[in-house]
Amino acid sequence: MSKYYQPEIETASPEEIRKLQDERLVKQVKHVWDNVPYYRKKMEEKGVTPDDIKGVDDLKKLPFLTKADLREAYPYGLLAKPLEDCVRIQSTSGTTGKRVVAFYTQHDVDLWEDCCARAIVAAGGTKEDVCQVSYGYGLFTGGPGLNGGSHKVGCLTLPMSSGNTERQLQFMTDLEATIICCTPSYAAYLAESIHEQGLRDKIKLKAGIFGAEAWSENMRRDVEQKLGIKAYDIYGLTEISGPGVSFECEEQTGMHVNEDHFIAEIIDPETGEVLPEGEKGELVFTSITKEAFPLLRYRTRDICVLSRKKCSCGRTLVKMAKPMGRSDDMLIIRGVNVFPSQIEEVLIEVGGKDITPNYLITIDRVNNTDTFDLDVEMSEEMFSDDIKSVSKVEKDIKDKLRSMLGLGVNVHLVNPKTITRSEGKAKRVIDKRDI
Ligand code: DLL
């Protein structure tokens, strides 16, 4: 571990954490003001100087940063250190516009890896473990982040990257991996393959660390049961360093934010106003220890809730709920706002054991009217047992969606394994409309 690991912070009193954040924020604002003309200008436009920021209470005086700022300042405009001090870039998988490129000094890599190490330790990881990292490596932060964290914990690290499922299963069984890190959709796919190939008895996994995309409690239970593990959520984003911004403990009721490095706020996405603890809104992060790419008040677009309720694990770090959608992945279908997470909710409620968590939304526009199709994979049991009830389940899902959204949806139960599986983040929506 390096000096940023500091597990004592995880159980420090809220006052101690606040004091540390106050000090670090004041220093960070000065660092940004002195070294990032782009953000300094934003501060000047708002009439704020570093002297106005004495601690976390003053955070709300600072301007927000958005993805649009990152694109405008691409590639070096938000860099706060000379390039010769930087040792790494990572980038988002953005498919529209310019990619977001984040820079790291060695200090930044170390603290990021230490945040991931905390996540692995919270999932029960020790140096005795064999940790299979099956997130993508390369520009995506998943592989490199968990890889670094696993090294720091001292696990034997299997740097598998994503894909090549046969090879994944061979190493998993031959080297007796005990921890698997990958996207939840790939975990579900691995679980299916293990089941199919009758490998369950050869699997020694005890924990999974799954994140990078939304996943439901239903999916958690399914993967836990199929792999015989405890499944932990992990959250992060490239702009704020990558995985490990927050992580789940054994209580599995939300993710502890590494508050000694990142300050979390919830704002009203319409007005930008800071909302009190417990209210749902957009998650905003300020990184208070990063050197090269220190974003202040970065709007994540993730809709979330923060909670300071006492956690049975003893950690005092604030917890964020599983993100409940994004303020920007909202679909507008026939004028109705729809979040894919709402569809998932209905599927869990209505589908029960008859369906799997695999679904695909397809939207198109025919004769100026939006069409809305939802393919849902039925479970093996339903496929083999009682094919006649398909239309009833389809109708139940359709009725529930109509009452929730006020929209007619064409629901199709499809055969098991017909929806393309993802080795990275699952693709849940195909929007064919040319708008
Ligand atoms: O997905 C970093 C990561 C890698 C996190 C591996 C966890 C594990 P980006 O590609 O920049 O970074 O995507 C960030 O993914 O704003 C969320 O919308 C979503 N996201 C990340 N983790 C979770 C999660 C990585 N646990 C964006 N649950 C974020 C739900 C998540 N959504």
Side-chain angles (χ1 to χ4, degrees):
M1 303 287 184
S2 47
K3 62 180 178 184
Y4 313 104
Y5 180 61
Q6 299 179 317
E8 66 281 4
I9 303 276
E10 296 177 58
T11 51
S13 72
E15 295 73 31
E16 283 172 292
I17 293 174
R18 186 57 179 257
K19 187 162 170 283
L20 191 67
Q21 287 187 330
D22 285 342
E23 288 163 12
R24 290 181 169 177
L25 176 66
V26 168
K27 232 172 107 195
Q28 187 71 304
V29 171
K30 203 167 170 326
H31 172 58
V32 172
W33 173 270
D34 289 343
N35 296 290
V36 186
Y38 184 96
Y39 194 78
R40 182 183 178 135
K41 186 161 164 266
K42 280 184 101 90
M43 283 176 68
E44 282 168 347
E45 280 165 8
K46 244 193 139 199
V48 196
T49 70
D51 289 342
D52 298 315
I53 310 299
K54 307 251 176 341
V56 179
D57 282 341
D58 298 321
L59 198 55
K60 55 182 175 300
K61 296 180 184 163
L62 290 170
F64 291 117
L65 275 172
T66 63
K67 210 164 219 156
D69 288 306
L70 269 60
R71 293 204 169 116
E72 196 180 323
Y74 174 90
Y76 297 126
L78 289 163
L79 194 59
K81 276 283 191 184
L83 262 192
E84 70 252 32
D85 291 347
C86 298
V87 297
R88 174 89 69 83
I89 69 149
Q90 301 288 159
S91 174
T92 58
S93 53
T95 47
T96 52
K98 283 177 187 146
R99 281 169 172 271
V100 168
V101 176
F103 298 83
Y104 303 71
T105 60
Q106 187 55 51
H107 155 104
D108 297 338
V109 173
D110 276 335
L111 77 84
W112 172 31
E113 291 179 350
D114 284 348
C115 287
C116 290
R118 284 184 184 170
I120 294 172
V121 170
T126 69
K127 64 203 259 310
E128 312 291 323
D129 280 297
V130 177
C131 181
Q132 179 158 350
V133 182
S134 306
Y135 285 110
Y137 279 62
L139 287 171
F140 178 55
T141 53
L146 270 308
N147 187 88
S150 172
H151 275 232
K152 291 261 160 86
V153 176
C155 304
L156 173 63
T157 308
L158 312 186
M160 299 302 298
S161 196
S162 55
N164 201 337
T165 302
E166 285 311 304
R167 192 176 59 191
Q168 299 275 358
L169 296 182
Q170 189 187 349
F171 277 91
M172 187 184 283
T173 49
D174 291 352
L175 291 160
E176 303 192 337
T178 49
I179 299 177
I180 173 92
C181 307
C182 61
T183 58
S185 33
Y186 195 47
Y189 182 52
L190 285 172
E192 262 177 18
S193 307
I194 287 166
H195 183 70
E196 262 170 32
Q197 297 180 30
L199 292 173
R200 181 66 171 75
D201 291 345
K202 296 205 171 117
I203 299 295
K204 298 285 185 290
L205 291 176
K206 63 175 188 187
I209 303 178
F210 307 137
E213 63 182 353
W215 54 304
S216 60
E217 286 302 324
N218 202 32
M219 193 154 169
R220 184 197 315 256
R221 278 189 295 276
D222 191 48
V223 172
E224 285 193 330
Q225 191 238 322
K226 285 205 175 108
L227 291 176
I229 60 170
K230 192 152 173 161
Y232 297 83
D233 205 347
I234 183 168
Y235 169 90
L237 59 165
T238 314
E239 298 91 314
I240 300 297
S241 71
V245 171
S246 65
F247 59 93
E248 226 171 28
C249 62
E250 70 264 18
E251 203 183 83
Q252 295 177 309
T253 53
M255 294 171 274
H256 290 285
V257 176
N258 279 310
E259 286 188 281
D260 46 338
H261 300 297
F262 314 107
I263 303 175
E265 297 171 277
I266 294 285
I267 62 159
D268 178 327
E270 301 294 326
T271 63
E273 195 195 325
V274 180
L275 299 176
E277 184 203 324
E279 278 194 31
K280 188 159 121 182
E282 182 181 334
L283 191 56
V284 172
F285 281 111
T286 295
S287 77
I288 48 176
T289 47
K290 276 173 65 184
E291 294 179 339
F293 202 66
L295 302 189
L296 305 180
R297 300 200 88 200
Y298 182 67
R299 291 185 60 162
T300 64
R301 302 288 171 189
D302 290 318
I303 302 295
C304 202
V305 176
L306 293 175
S307 161
R308 289 210 175 266
K309 257 202 223 126
K310 205 167 170 342
C311 184
S312 60
C313 77
R315 286 179 186 79
T316 45
L317 302 172
V318 72
K319 278 206 279 200
M320 55 176 270
K322 271 179 179 299
M324 300 144 181
R326 289 177 60 85
S327 60
D328 63 356
D329 80 344
M330 192 176 71
L331 301 160
I332 304 182
I333 305 171
R334 283 174 238 146
V336 178
N337 297 350
V338 179
F339 279 101
S341 54
Q342 292 175 295
I343 311 273
E344 194 153 335
E345 236 175 78
V346 169
L347 293 180
I348 289 166
E349 199 187 319
V350 180
K353 284 174 71 152
D354 292 325
I355 60 163
T356 73
N358 300 303
Y359 68 93
L360 183 68
I361 299 166
T362 308
I363 304 152
D364 205 348
R365 184 161 286 185
V366 180
N367 298 332
N368 291 325
T369 305
D370 292 339
T371 59
F372 183 1
D373 287 85
L374 175 67
D375 287 1
V376 185
E377 229 176 61
M378 64 181 100
S379 63
E380 292 284 354
E381 289 92 304
M382 178 169 202
F383 183 57
S384 49
D385 285 2
D386 187 11
I387 203 85
K388 287 199 202 80
S389 58
V390 165
S391 56
K392 169 159 188 337
V393 177
E394 283 174 342
K395 183 172 179 307
D396 290 349
I397 296 174
K398 194 181 165 94
D399 290 350
K400 185 76 195 179
L401 284 171
R402 182 183 290 282
S403 74
M404 180 189 238
L405 305 169
L407 273 178
V409 184
N410 302 314
V411 179
H412 321 276
L413 282 198
V414 297
N415 290 350
K417 304 204 188 57
T418 42
I419 294 178
T420 312
R421 297 297 190 268
S422 159
E423 288 171 351
K425 301 192 188 207
K427 190 165 171 53
R428 304 273 192 219
V429 180
I430 297 179
D431 194 342
K432 296 181 177 167
R433 294 172 299 182
D434 190 16
I435 45 178

